[in-house]
């Protein structure tokens, strides 16, 4: 499939997806959101891909937020629809059964920070900056930011960032547990690929079940321990479990099945 606002290329069994609107610092309009939805559907259907890296075009910005020229025309009902649509697409990323790494190559503001937070892992370049500046525009974070930021860094710092709109550096984001690692920008994609290569040696089924179980931790009305026990049992349905345990006992590398 071809895209207007994205590029997708294969690197070592990884889908490298680049949001490509550099003239507006890769801001998210409805077309970008629709294409992010579509590209994850495409990747899910292609067993050749074992994981995903999401990044932005250029060396200045990952994503500088929702497209403000589009936001400016919102009314109360259309804003609710836009928010729910963005939330659904970002939830699709968070619940994606293959590991997804955000390679944050510059500004991750507003919807850009929210998009990075929906990914399973975040690697930032040294020049990356994170922030939730929505209240400057008289609006609030609407793509899950009020929820995910609070869960990831705690209420105290989340409210500080959301209410003051202070931007933080990549190093500060790492200190808050918002990113997994900070590297020079020319090593960003290689670092993300190396992290994914470690995951690819594991059972894909077990990775998918781990993502689901960890996400259950943040769902209301769900007993995460029940989900964990069910998924622990579910792994035993699949040959990867037999292969993983047998390979350990036979002192050889396991050969797991793609899903
Ligand atoms: N939506 C639409 N256009 C955006 C944008 C956004 N979120 N962020 C940047 N742009 C556009 C700018 O309007 C500018 O367009 P122009 O060249 O036609 O004037 C271009 O991208 C470059 O941005 P500019 O502001 O000139 O770069 P800068 O280096 O001076 O500042 C930022 C960078 C990220 C600090 C600044 O662009 C900014 O504050 N962006 C908005 C961030 C935001 O509020 N996001 C949350 C939205 S809910």
């Amino acid at each position: 499939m071809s895209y207007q606002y994205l590029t997708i290329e294969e690197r070592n069994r990884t889908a490298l997806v680049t949001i490509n609107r550099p003239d507006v610092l890769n801001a998210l309009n409805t077309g970008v959101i629709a294409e992010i939805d579509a590209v994850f559907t495409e990747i899910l259907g292609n067993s050749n891909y074992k994981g995903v890296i999401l990044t932005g075009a250029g060396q200045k910005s990952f994503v500088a937020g929702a497209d403000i020229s589009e936001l400016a025309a919102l009314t109360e009902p259309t804003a609710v629809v836009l928010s729910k649509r963005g939330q659904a697409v970002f939830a699709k990323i968070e619940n994606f059964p293959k590991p997804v790494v955000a390679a944050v190559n510059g500004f991750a503001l507003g919807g850009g920070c929210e998009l990075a937070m929906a990914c399973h892992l975040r690697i930032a370049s040294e020049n990356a900056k994170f922030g939730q500046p929505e209240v400057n525009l008289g609006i609030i974070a609407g793509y899950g930011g009020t929820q995910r930021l609070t869960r990831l860094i705690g209420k105290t710092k989340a409210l500080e960032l959301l209410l003051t709109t202070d931007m933080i550096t990549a190093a500060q984001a790492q200190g808050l547990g918002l990113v997994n690692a900070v590297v020079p920008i020319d090593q960003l994609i290689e670092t993300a690929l190396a992290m994914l290569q470690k995951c690819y040696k594991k059972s894909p089924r077990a990775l998918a079940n781990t993502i689901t179980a960890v996400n259950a931790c943040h769902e209301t009305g769900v007993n995460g321990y029940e989900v964990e026990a069910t998924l622990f049992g579910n792994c035993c349905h699949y040959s990867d479990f037999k292969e993983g345990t047998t390979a350990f006992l036979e002192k050889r590398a396991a050969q797991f099945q793609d899903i």
Side-chain angles (χ1 to χ4, degrees):
M1 187 169 165
S2 68
Y3 299 92
Q4 182 179 356
Y5 302 116
L6 305 178
T7 61
I8 175 169
E9 54 186 289
E10 186 180 341
R11 296 266 194 98
N12 302 339
R13 302 206 60 188
T14 302
L16 173 59
V17 175
T18 305
I19 298 170
N20 190 24
R21 295 185 80 207
D23 48 327
V24 287
L25 306 185
N26 306 319
L28 303 172
N29 62 12
T30 47
V32 180
I33 294 287
E35 290 194 354
I36 292 173
D37 188 6
V39 83
F40 275 88
T41 300
E42 178 185 340
I43 295 163
L44 188 63
N46 186 341
S47 61
N48 202 34
Y49 293 126
K50 291 170 76 83
V52 186
I53 297 173
L54 204 51
T55 194
Q59 298 217 326
K60 179 170 175 180
S61 182
F62 173 66
V63 167
D67 190 320
I68 297 169
S69 62
E70 213 178 65
L71 287 188
L74 288 176
T75 61
E76 186 167 352
T78 61
V80 173
V81 170
L82 185 93
S83 174
K84 288 193 170 170
R85 170 81 174 127
Q87 286 178 358
V89 173
F90 287 14
K92 180 173 178 171
I93 297 172
E94 185 167 49
N95 295 314
F96 205 63
K98 308 178 191 198
V100 183
V101 181
V104 181
N105 57 309
F107 289 115
L109 302 178
C113 189
E114 292 171 299
L115 179 60
M117 290 192 291
C119 298
H120 304 134
L121 300 164
R122 283 161 290 285
I123 313 288
S125 59
E126 289 164 339
N127 64 316
K129 293 244 168 51
F130 295 79
Q132 297 285 168
E134 288 88 348
V135 297
N136 290 326
L137 304 170
I139 201 162
I140 71 168
Y143 291 166
T146 61
Q147 306 304 297
R148 286 198 184 93
L149 187 64
T150 308
R151 288 164 182 166
L152 286 172
I153 68 172
K155 185 175 172 183
T156 303
K157 292 306 281 188
L159 275 172
E160 182 182 329
L161 296 190
L162 288 159
L163 298 181
T164 68
T165 76
D166 283 349
M167 271 191 231
I168 56 170
T169 62
Q172 288 171 314
Q174 187 176 24
L176 290 171
L178 189 57
V179 301
N180 299 85
V182 180
V183 298
I185 195 159
D186 60 354
Q187 293 170 25
L188 186 62
I189 300 301
E190 292 314 313
T191 305
L193 281 169
M195 199 171 242
L196 283 171
Q197 291 304 321
K198 285 188 197 172
C199 301
Y200 298 166
K201 295 196 176 101
K202 324 300 179 197
S203 157
R205 176 74 50 188
L207 294 181
N209 283 2
T210 297
I211 289 166
T212 304
V214 169
N215 286 344
C217 175
H218 288 144
E219 277 180 40
T220 44
V222 170
N223 182 334
Y225 290 100
E226 280 295 324
V227 172
E228 181 186 84
T230 302
L231 292 171
F232 183 79
N234 172 269
C235 289
C236 300
H237 273 307
Y238 295 95
S239 60
D240 277 3
F241 172 58
K242 178 96 178 134
E243 168 62 9
T245 50
T246 304
F248 177 84
L249 295 172
E250 292 177 355
K251 301 191 188 305
R252 61 174 174 81
Q255 300 294 319
F256 292 119
Q257 299 291 310
D258 288 341
I259 54 170

